[in-house]
Amino acid sequence: MTSSPPGAQVRPHLPLPSTWPAWMVPALLAFVQVVGSLGAQSGERRGGHGGSGPPWGETHGPWQSDPGYTSTPLDPLGFALLAGGPALLLLRRRHPVFTLAAVGAVTLVYLLRAYTYGPGLLAVAVALVGAVVAGHRPAAWVGAGTALVGYFALTTAIGVPFEERGRAGTPFPVEEPSVGGAAFALAWVLIALISGELIRMRTMRAAAAARTRAEEERRQASEERLLMARELHDVLAHNISMINVQAGVALHLIDDDPNQARTALAAIKEASKEALTEMRSVIGVLRSQGESAPRSPTAGLDRLDELLGRARSAGLRVESEIVGERRPLPAGTDLAAFRIVQESLTNITRHAGPGPVTARLRIAYGEREVAVRVEDDGHGVSLLDDHPGGSGINGMRERAAALGGTFEAGPRPGGGFRVSATLPATEGPAGAEPAGEGDTE
């Protein structure tokens, strides 16, 4: 979604003709054709025979100006033809081919009647453009070519000498075709067809760009949803598992050892508080404009001690080792390393089997990468046998792969399970925040 800067001036622009009401273009064309044709006819009368010439300015011989151009005076039929062509354009959006044929027939009768030359050809040009833009290109091109050939063949057969145009005692006192007239008609049709092609190409590009933008917006929205689902799942899976374990301990010891039960309840309170805090941080991306940003920090290795403390309070013995100089990592790597450790400890708590179980964590900071290894000496079920309800190993593998790192998980020799991941410790194209979802068993 884009937004304009505050106070930015928006340029006013006219809406595209395709967005106008269907009646607007026909009404405008009817007005222009009728008024323009009356003006052309008046010009002929004021100028006599030498007043107004045909559009191509040619009569007796090729490229000679006309000293005696005449037209059939506009009568009710002429006005009906001038208004009928635009009226038929009301159907151009639903029936473009029929509209083109009907407007072409009306224009043909107008020309055969030898009415004044003027804007009477605008309706057929709009019909041609509309047919091409609507995707009926063969019908438009073939139909226009056929109409031109048929018109010139007919006027060759029934045409009168140019001096008698509009004055001969025939229903269709049209002049015989000439080189200039043929060139003008062909150019007029080609301009309309090519204009339609250009408009169609521009419309297709605009539609493709709109589809691309919509797909990109859907992709970004999907990635955001997956990211939120993954983070919420990681937070809930870890903390709820800790709460479940501590609740079992408290229930077991509440009568025999109240002090130990009190410790377990305190751990439950701390885990639930942590879960709520992280949930507020994740769901904060959905806050409305103007709300304050989440105040809790993003999960990362700087909160490793808190994570290990909660694991120890759940009865898990945890040994940790940091190798190399501890330093800030890229946000994506920092979060992925923290989540991999968190998911591994959660899985050990739930699946390592009867205790005592020891988890060993090793984080090695290298020059360009950071290596994370979590292993245990338990005897529980293999985490490689993912259940339909979750895919903890796959989730951690996706986190590492999204950053361009590596991931391995499997049983240890002599018992237990090992998870190891190598993640990039420098900013780069692969260091972006992963968008996949990783479930925890």
Side-chain angles (χ1 to χ4, degrees):
M1 185 175 68
T2 59
S3 60
S4 301
Q9 294 184 351
V10 179
R11 289 184 177 180
H13 60 277
L14 294 176
L16 297 175
S18 59
T19 63
W20 294 358
W23 57 267
M24 185 171 292
V25 171
L28 181 62
L29 282 179
F31 176 80
V32 171
Q33 289 195 166
V34 171
V35 174
S37 298
L38 284 173
Q41 180 175 263
S42 299
E44 293 174 18
R45 292 176 178 176
R46 287 195 302 268
H49 291 323
S52 174
W56 48 87
E58 176 209 343
T59 58
H60 305 290
W63 323 118
Q64 295 178 4
S65 61
D66 174 30
Y69 168 69
T70 57
S71 300
T72 302
L74 286 171
D75 52 17
L77 177 59
F79 287 113
L81 294 173
L82 287 174
L88 289 169
L89 291 176
L90 291 170
L91 305 174
R92 69 191 185 280
R93 295 179 180 176
R94 292 187 177 182
H95 309 286
V97 176
F98 169 79
T99 300
L100 176 60
V103 175
V106 169
T107 305
L108 177 63
V109 174
Y110 182 87
L111 293 175
L112 292 177
R113 284 284 296 163
Y115 292 116
T116 182
Y117 290 111
L121 300 178
L122 290 177
V124 73
V126 172
L128 277 172
V129 171
V132 173
V133 171
H136 301 279
R137 301 168 62 214
W141 283 87
V142 174
T146 303
L148 282 177
V149 172
Y151 174 77
F152 289 126
L154 181 60
T155 54
T156 299
I158 68 172
V160 298
F162 192 85
E163 295 81 359
E164 300 179 15
R165 181 186 189 278
R167 292 181 292 184
T170 62
F172 302 107
V174 62
E175 74 274 18
E176 297 173 342
S178 62
V179 175
F184 175 83
L186 180 61
W188 177 262
V189 170
L190 286 177
I191 289 173
L193 290 171
I194 293 174
S195 299
E197 294 287 355
L198 294 176
I199 295 174
R200 179 175 177 272
M201 292 172 59
R202 181 177 178 181
T203 302
M204 292 177 64
R205 285 197 298 268
R211 287 194 299 270
T212 301
R213 287 193 299 270
E215 291 174 0
E216 179 65 16
E217 291 174 358
R218 286 194 297 269
R219 183 189 66 80
Q220 292 178 355
S222 177
E223 289 182 355
E224 289 295 330
R225 287 193 298 270
L226 290 174
L227 175 61
M228 291 178 59
R230 187 195 66 204
E231 293 302 318
L232 285 173
H233 187 280
D234 291 345
V235 169
L236 293 176
H238 175 75
N239 289 286
I240 297 302
S241 295
M242 294 297 179
I243 292 172
N244 179 67
V245 171
Q246 293 293 346
V249 172
L251 287 174
H252 181 70
L253 300 175
I254 192 168
D255 294 325
D256 300 334
D257 192 348
N259 290 331
Q260 187 64 29
R262 186 177 296 108
T263 302
L265 292 174
I268 290 176
K269 178 181 179 181
E270 183 64 25
S272 61
K273 178 182 178 182
E274 179 68 19
L276 290 173
T277 301
E278 293 204 31
M279 285 178 62
R280 290 192 190 99
S281 177
V282 174
I283 299 177
V285 297
L286 297 178
R287 68 186 185 277
S288 302
Q289 185 177 5
E291 289 189 56
S292 60
R295 291 172 291 179
S296 60
T298 303
L301 291 180
D302 57 339
R303 302 175 62 187
L304 183 62
D305 293 338
E306 299 177 24
L307 178 62
L308 299 183
R310 291 197 302 272
R312 292 187 178 104
S313 67
L316 187 66
R317 293 188 299 188
V318 181
E319 300 175 0
S320 61
E321 179 185 8
I322 307 296
V323 179
E325 182 182 357
R326 193 167 182 175
R327 65 183 186 276
L329 298 172
T333 299
D334 200 24
L335 176 60
F338 180 86
R339 293 304 188 199
I340 289 174
V341 174
Q342 184 184 57
E343 292 172 7
S344 299
L345 294 177
T346 301
N347 288 335
I348 293 173
T349 302
R350 299 177 62 185
H351 299 288
V357 177
T358 300
R360 297 179 179 87
L361 166 66
R362 185 179 189 271
I363 299 178
Y365 288 84
E367 181 180 354
R368 304 181 63 85
E369 59 189 22
V370 59
V372 179
R373 186 178 68 195
V374 183
E375 57 186 17
D376 66 84
D377 55 5
H379 301 279
V381 296
S382 173
L383 293 181
L384 295 177
D385 299 330
D386 284 335
H387 304 300
S391 55
I393 299 300
N394 289 336
M396 290 185 280
R397 181 178 290 109
E398 289 173 3
R399 285 184 180 275
L403 292 167
T406 60
F407 177 85
E408 294 180 358
R412 292 174 61 244
F417 201 81
R418 175 183 294 154
V419 170
S420 61
T422 302
L423 307 173
T426 57
E427 295 284 0
E433 172 61 26
E437 177 182 355
D439 294 334
T440 302
E441 287 253 275

